[in-house]
Amino acid sequence: MLENTVVTVTGSCVSCVSSGGGAAAGPRLNNNQLYKFSYTTEVLLDRTRGSKEGRAGYKISTNVDINLVWRDPSSKDNQLIQLAISNVRVEPASHRPQKKNVLHGSTAESVLGKTRLAALTKPFLVHLKNGKAKAFYSYWAEPAIIKNLKRGLASLLQVQLNTGKVVEVNHTVIPPSVNTVDFVFKQNDVSGRCTVEYKAVKGQVTRTKLLETCKAEETGFTTHSQVLGVSTKSSSVTVFTLEDGFIRSVVAEEAHSLAVNARRSAGAKVVSRQTLTLVGTEAGPLEAAGKDVAGVVKSIDAKLAAVGIVAEKVKSQCKGCPSLFEHWQAHQKQLEPASLSKTTAPRSFLALIQSIRKASKDEILKVLKSTSKTSLPQVVDAVTSSQTTASLDAMLEFLNFTDAKGLVLQERFLYACGFASHPNERMLQALLDILKGKIGSSDIKESVVIIMGALVHKLCQKGGCNLPVVMQVKKLILDGPDNTQVESEVQMYLLALKNSLLPEAIPIFTKYAESEVGAYNTIALTALQRYDVKLMTDEVKRTVNRVYHQNRRIYEKNVRVAAADVVFSSDPSYFEVKNLLLSIGNLPHEMNKYMVSKIQDLLRFQMPASKIINQVMKDMISHNYNRFAKVGSSSAFSGFMAQSADMTSTYSLDILYSGSGIMRRSNMNIYGASNGAVLHGLQVAIEAQGLESLIAATPDEGEEDLESFAGMSALLFDVQLRPVTFFKGYSDLMSKMFSMTGDPMNVVKGLILLTDHSEVIQLQSGLKASAEFQGGLAIDISGGMEISLWYRESKTSVNNRGALVVTGNLTVDMDFMRAGVEVSFETAASLDFITTVQFSEYPFLVCIQMDKATFPISEYLTKYESLSSGKSIVSRKSRKQLIPGSEFPLHQENSNMCKKVFDSSW
């Protein structure tokens, strides 16, 4: 019967009536006839766009004899057939010189080994029913790779002669009375359970396997961020030529390509081809007697068993591979702090992760306990980023969170959890357990809660929002702000909610946006700016506008400009924008200048709000010289860092000063956009307040009673980190003033696993391709603030150093033979942002500099082929280019000011 089926009747079929009579659902074999075929299966690997050197890979050619063993007397499409492989040859996939031919001088027996070759040439059985493979009979003792190769050959006998669309959930028996066309079958084959579409036209059937629907046991994982992730593209088409109701030839081609979204030249592809051609027929064995398939199979050979149609997992054994400890010893020097600015650091980091993922907890602990103090933080990065059960258990045993002296290692562990590419609920549970226990440092407690928010966001992205531990943490951070009176704890919970991006947190942020504490206002408003515009309700917009216009109370300038940013980014109405413009002229001097600069930047950079701003500016009351000619030093500017076909990178610099000339807020952002997705790569915000007493200046409105404070907050790859305080309170300020060295304070330093894609691709031929794409970043972000009362000058700096390595490996490992391709690129760069302010007179002089040094980008292509005997061939190719350094352009007013600043310093 036809189960769970949707049938669309429209059309044609190939050989619907065979010589045996009745409607044929699939190919039928004649009794007492031996069909002799030639068969080749080949696999080729290369970078996505190809290369002159040719592809890596190999080809296996054989003869195949096929004959009918048994047919159900009541159903001619219910057949048991035998296949026997002989005359096996193994060759390179493409022609190559003798020196580059790893198979030169080899035979099938020397490559496969005597046991495997004997198993491959041993006959096997396939039960075909209505053109579908219902069972595959072979021997359990055979190596998995041999059974998989046989399954790949058997897959070429599965063909549906009708065309049409039918989605099957169970195995389907199609009654002869159903005249269907356009069938789409969910069919079990070597690739797993897949949706397959058949189209039949004049003696030819085309089978298209919709690979994205295939469900196999081995899957993998990928990075949650689309910008940092890997795109895959797959196709599988098999063309059958039929004659007299049976197969004349089959040609199948399957291709899978993978590429890094941010740089598609770092891509690799695997192509699998199969060809089965009928070369002749001759008299064959007679059909066996029997009532059913099971009985016939047993009568032929009692050791034959239904071993499953779907391919088995092949366990490849690494001969002579180093242990984790040996691997660590080889890479230890590259992970010392002095090497973190070089590309050798992230490359060793990625190699170490691969080794850790295969290691046990005890092996990992041995490395952690043997590592030097200077390289230990980098090892903690690698172990945590590995994201295996063993690596997490090792870290939890190694770290003592009750010890306040272990802050550096504890925070590196927590940050690595926050940047995790594919975290699971167990990682979140581990952080929750740490929080419930005794924590020696208040800074670590803050980081635990803040990072839990980031993990909640990533787990919710994967559909895990209703997992018990996620629900528990959601309740904790949603209730947190109202369950404590301690200011630092309220900020901690708000930052965790900012990371979580939970829609349920929007009312909480809306409430705290109007709080009497400036720090709460800023966190709440910057958090609201991260949400999808569709979630910005009228109530949220009314609240944000009230904050900007100070309808209920006086707010600090940096809070008001944060509110303005939310308004501009939340699809503002005509009247919202008009009221913002009308406020210019009635604001503190520097805020006036900032708002003018912000509006001009939105228009110049053609941000979404620019359309409505242009409409409002047609009104001369809102837009006139009196409003837009305000003097001051505050500014907002956006620009392009890099543009390519794959990715666009932009930056923005917003700086707000107090009326006395001291910087109030500096905010630098870097965004990456690819395929419509946006990643907030970096945000470094420096805030200072209550410093007017140092220069006997008058504070601005609403800022008269602010405590002296300066600090920095960083957001990295969409993860908010724990803010860093430079000083807090007048006494702390004065002690820091006299001990200030000008050296920047570190905000974040370490190794981050940016891209992490692992996938096992089951090919129709029975072979499996393993894809591993990883991207590692060594990063060092620091910031500092200097104030000279003698020279009446202040300087703030943000220094960013980074080295990036991305590698992509695509390998087909047959146990006895291995071929693969590796694509990679690497770069090391620096970006400095320096602001110099001279406040000896008003308007004070401000110079903003944003410089990048000349940096290299290197690309590598490696192809390799090896045999189990140890013989191997490796070819490498590289390309390097230098990207010239430059100072990023800002507005002309800044250029003029910089000339005055540096002229006056001489």
Side-chain angles (χ1 to χ4, degrees), residues 13 40 95 115 126 136 147 165 186 189 287 300 423 476 497 518 698 739 741 743 751 757 785-786 827 855:
C13 76
T40 62
H95 177 74
T115 303
V126 176
F136 168 72
K147 283 182 280 187
K165 281 193 175 180
K186 277 203 186 268
D189 73 356
E287 183 181 335
I300 294 171
L476 173 74
L497 289 170
T698 304
S739 63
T741 63
D743 295 332
L751 291 153
H757 181 94
M785 185 173 185
E786 297 177 65
T827 186
F855 64 94

Side-chain angles (χ1 to χ4, degrees), residues 48 222-223 225-232 257-268 644-647 674-675 754-757 772-776 804-809 823-825 859:
T48 308
T222 193
T223 307
S225 168
Q226 187 178 331
V227 175
L228 299 173
V230 173
S231 292
T232 59
S257 60
L258 301 94
V260 178
N261 290 334
R263 193 177 181 87
R264 293 192 173 275
S265 60
S644 69
D646 302 326
M647 186 176 178
S674 177
N675 291 330
L754 291 184
T755 301
D756 195 15
H757 181 94
E772 297 282 343
F773 278 71
Q774 272 86 35
L804 173 69
V805 173
V806 177
T807 64
N809 253 298
V823 290
S824 67
F825 70 91
E859 293 182 286

Side-chain angles (χ1 to χ4, degrees), residues 1-78:
M1 61 179 291
L2 197 63
E3 301 174 347
N4 297 324
T5 310
V6 179
V7 181
T8 306
V9 180
T10 55
S12 67
C13 76
V14 173
S15 302
C16 282
V17 180
S18 75
S19 57
R28 293 178 180 174
L29 285 77
N30 292 326
N31 184 23
N32 193 26
Q33 195 163 11
L34 184 69
Y35 298 84
K36 302 186 78 67
F37 285 88
S38 65
Y39 173 62
T40 62
T41 178
E42 61 182 327
V43 62
L44 307 104
L45 301 110
D46 204 349
R47 65 180 178 184
T48 308
R49 63 188 182 194
S51 56
K52 295 178 182 178
E53 296 76 22
R55 302 169 173 179
Y58 37 77
K59 176 168 66 177
I60 298 175
S61 304
T62 70
N63 296 341
V64 179
D65 291 345
I66 302 176
N67 66 276
L68 179 69
V69 174
W70 172 87
R71 192 195 312 273
D72 186 348
S74 62
S75 174
K76 295 188 177 182
D77 287 311
N78 189 5

Side-chain angles (χ1 to χ4, degrees), residues 29 64-71 77-84 123-129 131-138 147 149-159 188 293 296-297 300 304-309:
L29 285 77
V64 179
D65 291 345
I66 302 176
N67 66 276
L68 179 69
V69 174
W70 172 87
R71 192 195 312 273
D77 287 311
N78 189 5
Q79 307 165 100
L80 182 67
I81 62 174
Q82 177 176 280
L83 297 90
F124 60 99
L125 304 176
V126 176
H127 178 200
L128 277 183
K129 191 172 184 180
K132 303 296 188 306
K134 304 294 285 184
F136 168 72
Y137 296 92
S138 195
K147 283 182 280 187
L149 286 170
K150 290 180 175 180
R151 289 180 176 107
L153 170 59
S155 71
L156 298 186
L157 300 180
Q158 291 206 104
V159 58
N188 277 313
V293 171
V296 174
V297 171
I300 294 171
L304 279 168
V307 294
I309 299 168

Side-chain angles (χ1 to χ4, degrees), residues 641 799-803 828-832 851-855 886 888:
M641 292 190 74
N799 311 112
N800 304 280
R801 302 284 181 272
S830 63
L831 179 66
D832 295 324
D851 301 327
K852 68 172 181 181
T854 297
F855 64 94
S886 66
F888 286 102

Side-chain angles (χ1 to χ4, degrees), residues 391-456:
S391 65
L392 181 58
D393 288 344
M395 285 308 311
L396 294 174
E397 183 174 322
F398 181 72
L399 296 173
N400 178 12
F401 283 89
T402 63
D403 182 10
K405 295 179 182 178
L407 185 144
V408 172
L409 295 181
Q410 293 164 22
E411 193 143 65
R412 290 287 276 265
F413 164 73
L414 293 170
Y415 285 173
C417 288
F419 297 129
S421 55
H422 55 282
N424 56 26
E425 57 269 33
R426 192 170 178 276
M427 180 180 280
L428 181 59
Q429 183 65 57
L431 297 195
L432 185 59
D433 292 342
I434 291 169
L435 185 66
K436 289 177 180 177
K438 184 181 177 183
I439 299 177
S441 164
S442 58
D443 286 347
I444 291 301
K445 180 185 176 182
E446 287 180 25
S447 287
V448 169
V449 176
I450 292 168
I451 295 305
M452 283 200 301
L455 292 182
V456 165

Side-chain angles (χ1 to χ4, degrees), residues 668 681-684 712-717 721 744-750 752 777-783 798-802:
M668 179 182 75
L682 175 66
Q683 180 186 73
V684 180
M712 181 159 64
S713 173
L715 184 147
L716 192 60
F717 302 112
L721 306 180
M745 180 182 287
N746 182 258
V747 180
V748 60
K749 185 173 187 175
I752 301 172
L777 175 70
I779 192 166
D780 183 354
I781 300 174
S782 56
V798 176
N799 311 112
N800 304 280
R801 302 284 181 272

